[in-house]
Amino acid sequence: MVFLYIGDILTTYALLGLILFAARRATPEGAYRAALWVWGVFGSLLLLLGVLGTLAGPDDEAAQAALSTEAAELTAAYRGGFTDVVGANLGQLPFAVLALFTMSGFVVAAFLLGLSAGKRQWLTRVGRVALRRILVAGLCVGVPAAAFSASGVAGPLSPRWELLAGMTGVVVAPALSAAYVAGLLLWFGTPGGARAAGVLAPAGRMALTHYLTQSLVMALIFTGYGLGLYGRLGVAVPVCIALVLYAAQLALSGMLMRRYRLGPVEWVLRAFTHLRERPRQVNER
């Protein structure tokens, strides 16, 4: 978060993953019920906050001007040198902590739901009929919510709707996630999808390495660490850069996973996770 990207989700995953570790012995039914409760409580609170923000009053032009000024200052900092970038990220840490609390309920709910699905071996047992139902339901709920969220955060709606739109997008995001999962599983069951899965699977086995590599490469391109192109390009160029980078990672993953069982960062993480104190010899006291 400090040296690469302030919006990095890994810190959130690392901290909230301790909750998942504590719940590792939960039954599938218990984990599923807990996930629903956590999602329901946090979702209700965020939607209530969004409604109150919308009803609070007219658009605050002064607040919008302050945000524009802050954005300009951040842009200048990210184009600066190493200390400028790190200083900007350090200054954004309070907002990152707030985002952590905002997202915490949904991350924990997703962890618990994944724990339940894993214990049930749901991904390998679910039928195509059930997947189609999940796909349709997820799209019917998720697409309108995502459209409203985009319209309020970056679209034609006035700034008054921004908070409610953003909160709606966060709360309903699991619907689209479920649709993505169901759609991919349906596709992977076809001959063409199976071939695509074979290409994607090696990258999935070293996802942490790829994630950090992407953050590093993008930091070198956009911040003062390297080219300093932050805020100088439109949308199309970064998207093309991301696609080219991921294509290179897919090719590299295929070569590495044919020779090794783990990616480099995954190997380091596993070695640290299983670190043990050196066993004592028989004659040691």
Side-chain angles (χ1 to χ4, degrees):
M1 293 179 68
V2 173
F3 295 105
L4 291 181
Y5 175 52
I6 189 62
D8 196 305
I9 196 66
L10 292 181
T11 303
T12 300
Y13 285 172
L15 294 174
L16 299 181
L18 298 175
I19 298 176
L20 178 64
F21 183 75
R24 65 191 182 278
R25 294 187 177 87
T27 64
E29 296 78 11
Y32 179 75
R33 288 194 298 269
L36 293 182
W37 271 103
V38 172
W39 176 81
V41 170
F42 272 80
S44 300
L45 291 175
L46 290 188
L47 289 178
L48 177 60
L49 178 62
V51 171
L52 292 177
T54 303
L55 298 176
D59 301 337
D60 191 347
E61 295 182 1
Q64 295 301 316
L67 289 176
S68 299
T69 302
E70 182 182 1
E73 292 174 352
L74 282 175
T75 298
Y78 286 136
R79 292 175 183 171
F82 177 83
T83 56
D84 296 317
V85 175
V86 172
N89 286 339
L90 287 172
Q92 291 294 305
L93 280 181
F95 301 101
V97 173
L98 178 61
L100 187 152
F101 282 107
T102 303
M103 295 294 298
S104 61
F106 304 98
V107 173
V108 171
F111 282 172
L112 294 173
L113 189 62
L115 179 64
S116 176
K119 287 177 176 285
R120 296 174 186 268
Q121 297 182 342
W122 183 85
L123 290 177
T124 57
R125 294 183 177 182
V126 64
R128 297 184 69 83
V129 174
L131 289 175
R132 291 192 186 96
R133 291 175 180 170
I134 295 172
L135 175 62
V136 172
L139 292 176
C140 290
V141 175
V143 170
F148 172 61
S149 177
S151 298
V153 174
L157 295 179
S158 68
R160 171 189 291 188
W161 294 93
E162 182 174 356
L163 183 60
L164 178 59
M167 295 305 182
T168 301
V170 171
V171 173
V172 188
L176 273 183
S177 298
Y180 296 155
V181 171
L184 286 171
L185 288 176
L186 287 170
W187 181 43
F188 291 157
T190 66
R195 289 192 294 271
V199 175
L200 295 170
R205 291 171 55 191
M206 49 185 299
L208 181 58
T209 296
H210 288 328
Y211 185 101
L212 292 173
T213 301
Q214 290 168 7
S215 295
L216 176 60
V217 171
M218 293 301 184
L220 292 175
I221 292 175
F222 290 102
T223 71
Y225 290 175
L227 301 179
L229 296 179
Y230 188 91
R232 301 183 189 274
L233 304 175
V235 175
V237 175
V239 170
C240 291
I241 293 174
L243 292 175
V244 171
L245 175 58
Y246 188 59
Q249 289 181 318
L250 285 178
L252 180 62
S253 300
M255 293 186 294
L256 287 178
M257 291 298 98
R258 282 193 292 268
R259 298 184 59 185
Y260 303 101
R261 190 164 60 92
L262 299 171
V265 181
E266 286 77 11
W267 183 88
V268 172
L269 179 61
R270 184 179 180 86
F272 175 79
T273 302
H274 294 278
L275 186 65
R276 294 289 185 271
E277 181 181 348
R278 184 177 66 89
R280 293 184 176 182
Q281 302 295 327
V282 175
N283 58 350
E284 288 183 347
R285 294 185 182 275

Short mmCIF file of all heavy atoms in Angstrom, two decimals, residues 76-89:
data_model
loop_
_atom_site.label_atom_id
_atom_site.label_comp_id
_atom_site.label_asym_id
_atom_site.label_seq_id
_atom_site.Cartn_x
_atom_site.Cartn_y
_atom_site.Cartn_z
N ALA A 76 0.14 15.41 -9.05
CA ALA A 76 1.49 15.99 -9.04
C ALA A 76 2.45 15.15 -8.20
O ALA A 76 3.62 14.96 -8.57
CB ALA A 76 1.43 17.42 -8.50
N ALA A 77 1.96 14.64 -7.07
CA ALA A 77 2.82 13.82 -6.20
C ALA A 77 3.21 12.51 -6.88
O ALA A 77 4.37 12.09 -6.82
CB ALA A 77 2.11 13.55 -4.88
N TYR A 78 2.25 11.86 -7.55
CA TYR A 78 2.54 10.58 -8.18
C TYR A 78 3.45 10.74 -9.40
O TYR A 78 4.07 9.78 -9.83
CB TYR A 78 1.25 9.88 -8.58
CG TYR A 78 0.51 9.29 -7.39
CD1 TYR A 78 -0.87 9.44 -7.25
CD2 TYR A 78 1.20 8.59 -6.41
CE1 TYR A 78 -1.53 8.91 -6.16
CE2 TYR A 78 0.54 8.05 -5.32
CZ TYR A 78 -0.82 8.22 -5.19
OH TYR A 78 -1.47 7.70 -4.10
N ARG A 79 3.54 11.94 -9.93
CA ARG A 79 4.48 12.18 -11.01
C ARG A 79 5.85 12.58 -10.48
O ARG A 79 6.80 12.71 -11.25
CB ARG A 79 3.96 13.29 -11.92
CG ARG A 79 2.73 12.92 -12.73
CD ARG A 79 2.24 14.14 -13.49
NE ARG A 79 1.00 13.86 -14.23
CZ ARG A 79 0.27 14.80 -14.84
NH1 ARG A 79 0.66 16.06 -14.79
NH2 ARG A 79 -0.84 14.47 -15.48
N GLY A 80 5.96 12.80 -9.19
CA GLY A 80 7.21 13.24 -8.60
C GLY A 80 8.15 12.09 -8.33
O GLY A 80 8.05 11.01 -8.92
N GLY A 81 9.08 12.32 -7.42
CA GLY A 81 10.09 11.31 -7.12
C GLY A 81 9.61 10.29 -6.10
O GLY A 81 8.43 10.25 -5.72
N PHE A 82 10.55 9.47 -5.65
CA PHE A 82 10.24 8.38 -4.73
C PHE A 82 9.58 8.90 -3.45
O PHE A 82 8.56 8.38 -3.02
CB PHE A 82 11.52 7.62 -4.40
CG PHE A 82 11.33 6.51 -3.41
CD1 PHE A 82 10.88 5.26 -3.82
CD2 PHE A 82 11.61 6.71 -2.07
CE1 PHE A 82 10.71 4.24 -2.90
CE2 PHE A 82 11.44 5.69 -1.14
CZ PHE A 82 10.99 4.45 -1.57
N THR A 83 10.17 9.92 -2.86
CA THR A 83 9.62 10.44 -1.60
C THR A 83 8.24 11.05 -1.80
O THR A 83 7.41 10.99 -0.90
CB THR A 83 10.58 11.47 -0.99
OG1 THR A 83 10.82 12.52 -1.95
CG2 THR A 83 11.90 10.83 -0.60
N ASP A 84 8.01 11.65 -2.96
CA ASP A 84 6.70 12.23 -3.25
C ASP A 84 5.63 11.14 -3.31
O ASP A 84 4.54 11.29 -2.76
CB ASP A 84 6.72 13.01 -4.57
CG ASP A 84 7.64 14.20 -4.52
OD1 ASP A 84 7.63 14.91 -3.50
OD2 ASP A 84 8.40 14.41 -5.49
N VAL A 85 5.94 10.05 -4.00
CA VAL A 85 4.98 8.96 -4.15
C VAL A 85 4.68 8.31 -2.79
O VAL A 85 3.53 8.10 -2.43
CB VAL A 85 5.50 7.91 -5.14
CG1 VAL A 85 4.56 6.71 -5.21
CG2 VAL A 85 5.66 8.53 -6.53
N VAL A 86 5.74 8.01 -2.05
CA VAL A 86 5.55 7.39 -0.74
C VAL A 86 4.80 8.32 0.20
O VAL A 86 3.90 7.90 0.95
CB VAL A 86 6.91 6.98 -0.13
CG1 VAL A 86 6.75 6.53 1.31
CG2 VAL A 86 7.55 5.89 -0.97
N GLY A 87 5.13 9.61 0.16
CA GLY A 87 4.43 10.57 1.00
C GLY A 87 2.96 10.67 0.67
O GLY A 87 2.11 10.76 1.56
N ALA A 88 2.64 10.64 -0.64
CA ALA A 88 1.23 10.67 -1.04
C ALA A 88 0.48 9.43 -0.55
O ALA A 88 -0.65 9.52 -0.07
CB ALA A 88 1.13 10.79 -2.56
N ASN A 89 1.11 8.28 -0.67
CA ASN A 89 0.47 7.05 -0.20
C ASN A 89 0.29 7.05 1.31
O ASN A 89 -0.75 6.60 1.82
CB ASN A 89 1.29 5.83 -0.63
CG ASN A 89 1.16 5.54 -2.11
OD1 ASN A 89 0.21 5.97 -2.76
ND2 ASN A 89 2.12 4.82 -2.66
#
